[in-house]
Amino acid sequence: MTVPPYLPSARGGDLIFFGGADASDVVHLITDVVSNGIAVLTRSNLTHVAMVLEPSLAIDGRPQTCLNLIESTILAGKSGPQINPAEGRIQRYEGLVFLARLRERTRVMLDWNAVWDYLLGRIGPDHYSIKTIFDYLARAVPIIGRLPLFCRPEAKAEVCSEYLAAGFRAGGFPGIHPHVGCPQTLAEWAIYEHLDQLCGRPAAIRNFNTV
């Protein structure tokens, strides 16, 4: 299996956080509304999150030949949960990229077979949820944001953080509410051993590993 030289310590289940969108650039906000919308609404420099796929898993009955990410996104004409080569995703991303390695005690508390069964099972049936982005905005509005409509997940659709949070919940992680989370939410969970910045100008993740 081919592993990028900057990811030698990555293991299945580790998270890759993407960010660095410029929320002050109106043109960029319009042309990249989904990613930038997440950053603006959550006051975070994170716009996307993916998970390192367990290398030993077979995909469509075949062994993996490179390190892959599993994520819910809109990419190359595909919408929703999908598997993409880690190296291509990271090298082509114009912004910040972080590797968040899970603690060993986090790993042992999860049923990883259940995590992978859930995440892989959503590839194909589900699509990327634009509704969830608008729900973030609506929940920021007093009174209106409390309406159940904006806290209700869309059937067979999810954004990146919602998808991975649901995978953690399937594996037995307690207290997870996938629909109301965002990449920043996952970054704040106190489940990580270490954070490595892989790309972009030197930066930090606000409140990383604190909740």
Side-chain angles (χ1 to χ4, degrees):
M1 170 178 286
T2 302
V3 178
Y6 46 81
L7 285 175
S9 62
R11 298 171 61 188
D14 289 342
L15 297 188
I16 304 288
F17 290 97
F18 297 81
D22 183 3
S24 66
D25 184 344
V26 176
V27 174
H28 196 51
L29 280 171
I30 294 172
T31 58
D32 203 9
V33 65
V34 173
S35 292
N36 287 283
I38 295 171
V40 171
L41 299 178
T42 59
R43 299 184 299 277
S44 169
N45 62 349
L46 301 179
T47 59
H48 182 63
V49 59
M51 180 180 283
V52 177
L53 182 63
E54 171 54 47
S56 65
L57 292 174
I59 304 301
D60 296 327
R62 299 179 179 180
Q64 299 177 65
T65 59
C66 64
L67 194 68
N68 287 297
L69 302 183
I70 188 166
E71 57 188 331
S72 181
T73 188
I74 301 172
L75 186 68
K78 295 187 293 183
S79 172
Q82 54 192 271
I83 296 170
N84 295 303
E87 187 166 21
R89 286 289 281 131
I90 293 169
Q91 284 185 338
R92 295 189 187 99
Y93 193 81
E94 298 181 0
L96 306 174
V97 184
F98 301 90
L99 166 64
R101 289 185 279 146
L102 296 181
R103 289 177 180 167
E104 196 59 36
R105 70 180 185 185
T106 301
R107 292 184 173 279
V108 299
M109 71 177 289
L110 288 168
D111 179 346
W112 284 101
N113 288 331
V115 173
W116 301 125
D117 284 348
Y118 177 85
L119 295 177
L120 292 169
R122 305 324 308 160
I123 297 177
D126 289 13
H127 62 273
Y128 190 87
S129 177
I130 300 299
K131 172 187 179 298
T132 299
I133 303 300
F134 288 101
D135 286 349
Y136 286 140
L137 176 61
R139 287 197 296 269
V141 178
I143 301 177
I144 293 177
R146 298 181 182 179
L147 294 175
L149 171 66
F150 303 117
C151 296
R152 188 179 303 137
E154 182 181 1
K156 295 187 178 299
E158 52 274 308
V159 294
C160 58
S161 53
E162 186 177 17
Y163 174 57
L164 298 183
F168 277 110
R169 184 174 64 180
F173 202 88
I176 301 295
H177 303 284
H179 183 63
V180 298
C182 63
Q184 179 66 36
T185 305
L186 272 64
E188 292 180 3
W189 289 351
I191 62 173
Y192 305 104
E193 178 69 29
H194 192 68
L195 181 70
D196 294 311
Q197 184 172 354
L198 305 179
C199 298
R201 55 179 173 73
I205 296 178
R206 177 172 58 86
N207 296 332
F208 176 75
N209 207 33
T210 57
V211 177

